[in-house]
Amino acid sequence: MIGHSAQSGMLYLCQDDVVAYPLPIDYLRFHSFVSFKIEAAEQGVEYDDDQELDDIISSFEPAMRERASEFLESVGEYKLALRSSVEPERHFELHLKLGNVKDCLRILHELQAQQSDKSRDDVLRSKWKRLGTHCLDTNDYNTAVECLMNCGDYSSCMLIYITSGNRDGIAKIAEIATKEGVANIAFTCHYILNNIPECIDLLHRTGRHSEACIMARTYKPSALQASYEKWNNAYNPNLPALEETTVDQDALEIEKLLSERLATGFPQAKEYPKLKEAVYVNLLRSETPIDRSAIASDWSAGINL
């Protein structure tokens, strides 16, 4: 090292040739000021003269301000680093470390509104994801859902709504996932909401005709014939022909009774011990006609407990 020129603000080094690096005297003052502040804090002495530090930083060029911000961050002075930086993305990182969720949201919405380079979509989604994870860690579930929705993490949103029993939220995820073509999430949401017709229709629209028929046969026998016809129309003619399907009349009767039963609503979970005998009904009992009271009456009575 040859030396530093305070007049030119350059640091001169020599190896094979003389090389000069910009190092303003104010940046050296800045380092000295921060070091003194840290030493004072370690000794339990309050040294609060941030105005002087602001005056020093304000004299820096933008690149030097970011360099100063990085240094402040490295020593744990996040608030001072925030005041030094002028880059929105860096502001986000520092606000996240400080736990300033509202400021992080504001910055991300601004970045999203200004986004024109599609190649940076993944970068923005990553920031939404990190903020959402932070909100989950701090039990801020509403904000977490907003962030996870913006980064397209519908599965995490679905789990939050399921565990909190939010039917409207699950329905919202089902609608969005259907529009976005995320069929597995949409199917799971509809299944949890007992929207069996939607599940069957979704399976057909995604070309899973055999699964749609199995679901119709299991949960909605009245839809089996229509489901079978869709499968048959899309079936590969080079394969062995499908056998004709038949709908069991008892199954249709059971479906009707269960629909009436579900229409009364569900009892609260705390009522389960009193209603478990009504829940576990052998629907395929041999006697005819089917005992309607075993399927409908007990459950309906439980609603009024």
Side-chain angles (χ1 to χ4, degrees):
M1 184 176 72
I2 298 175
H4 178 266
S5 170
Q7 184 176 5
S8 63
M10 303 294 287
L11 177 66
Y12 295 94
L13 305 175
C14 179
Q15 189 170 3
D16 296 328
D17 297 317
V18 176
V19 181
Y21 291 96
L23 187 62
I25 189 65
D26 283 342
Y27 191 74
L28 295 177
R29 287 177 55 213
F30 158 76
H31 262 270
S32 299
F33 184 92
V34 174
S35 299
F36 183 80
K37 181 180 176 70
I38 293 172
E39 290 176 4
E42 290 175 349
Q43 296 172 7
V45 178
E46 290 190 12
Y47 186 76
D48 189 12
D49 193 6
D50 292 342
Q51 183 59 49
E52 181 181 349
L53 185 60
D54 286 339
D55 292 340
I56 296 173
I57 292 174
S58 63
S59 66
F60 292 162
E61 295 292 330
M64 192 63 71
R65 288 183 67 117
E66 295 307 315
R67 184 174 170 183
S69 178
E70 291 174 4
F71 171 72
L72 288 167
E73 182 184 3
S74 69
V75 296
E77 293 287 345
Y78 299 135
K79 291 183 179 179
L80 292 177
L82 190 60
R83 284 152 58 180
S84 174
S85 176
V86 294
E87 292 291 335
E89 293 193 12
R90 183 158 185 77
H91 281 193
F92 169 81
E93 300 295 338
L94 293 167
H95 277 304
L96 185 59
K97 288 185 176 181
L98 289 168
N100 300 334
V101 173
K102 290 184 178 179
D103 290 303
C104 288
L105 283 172
R106 173 182 54 79
I107 292 169
L108 288 182
H109 282 301
E110 290 174 356
L111 290 174
Q112 200 165 39
Q114 299 168 4
Q115 184 79 297
S116 58
D117 185 359
K118 295 298 182 182
S119 64
R120 290 184 56 80
D121 283 353
D122 290 341
V123 176
L124 192 56
R125 277 195 292 268
S126 174
K127 294 183 186 301
W128 280 115
K129 177 71 173 180
R130 289 171 55 210
L131 181 57
T133 301
H134 170 81
C135 292
L136 283 176
D137 291 339
T138 57
N139 300 324
D140 186 358
Y141 296 113
N142 290 332
T143 306
V145 168
E146 178 186 352
C147 297
L148 295 171
M149 289 285 284
N150 275 290
C151 73
D153 189 356
Y154 302 129
S155 59
S156 294
C157 295
M158 178 184 68
L159 289 174
I160 292 172
Y161 283 138
I162 290 173
T163 53
S164 60
N166 189 332
R167 291 180 61 88
D168 292 338
I170 298 172
K172 178 182 177 182
I173 296 296
E175 180 182 356
I176 294 174
T178 300
K179 290 180 180 178
E180 296 289 334
V182 190
N184 58 331
I185 299 298
F187 178 89
T188 303
C189 289
H190 284 305
Y191 183 75
I192 290 171
L193 294 171
N194 199 40
N195 294 336
I196 301 303
E198 292 289 343
C199 291
I200 296 172
D201 182 61
L202 184 60
L203 288 171
H204 279 301
R205 283 190 280 114
T206 53
R208 307 178 76 91
H209 302 291
S210 58
E211 289 93 331
C213 285
I214 293 172
M215 188 156 205
R217 183 180 182 86
T218 305
Y219 295 102
K220 197 170 183 62
S222 61
L224 178 57
Q225 187 61 43
S227 188
Y228 170 81
E229 290 175 0
K230 290 181 181 179
W231 184 17
N232 195 37
N233 292 335
Y235 193 69
N236 187 344
N238 296 323
L239 296 176
L242 295 174
E243 294 184 7
E244 288 293 331
T245 186
T246 57
V247 180
D248 185 88
Q249 293 303 312
D250 283 345
L252 292 175
E253 177 68 9
I254 291 172
E255 179 189 345
K256 179 181 177 182
L257 295 177
L258 286 177
S259 296
E260 294 173 358
R261 182 173 183 172
L262 291 171
T264 65
F266 287 92
Q268 295 183 5
K270 65 181 181 180
E271 303 297 342
Y272 171 74
K274 301 177 183 178
L275 298 174
K276 61 182 179 180
E277 295 301 327
V279 173
Y280 291 106
V281 175
N282 181 8
L283 299 176
L284 295 179
R285 58 186 64 193
S286 58
E287 62 264 27
T288 55
I290 296 173
D291 184 0
R292 297 177 64 93
S293 63
I295 300 177
S297 299
D298 291 342
W299 190 322
S300 298
I303 298 296
N304 300 320
L305 290 177

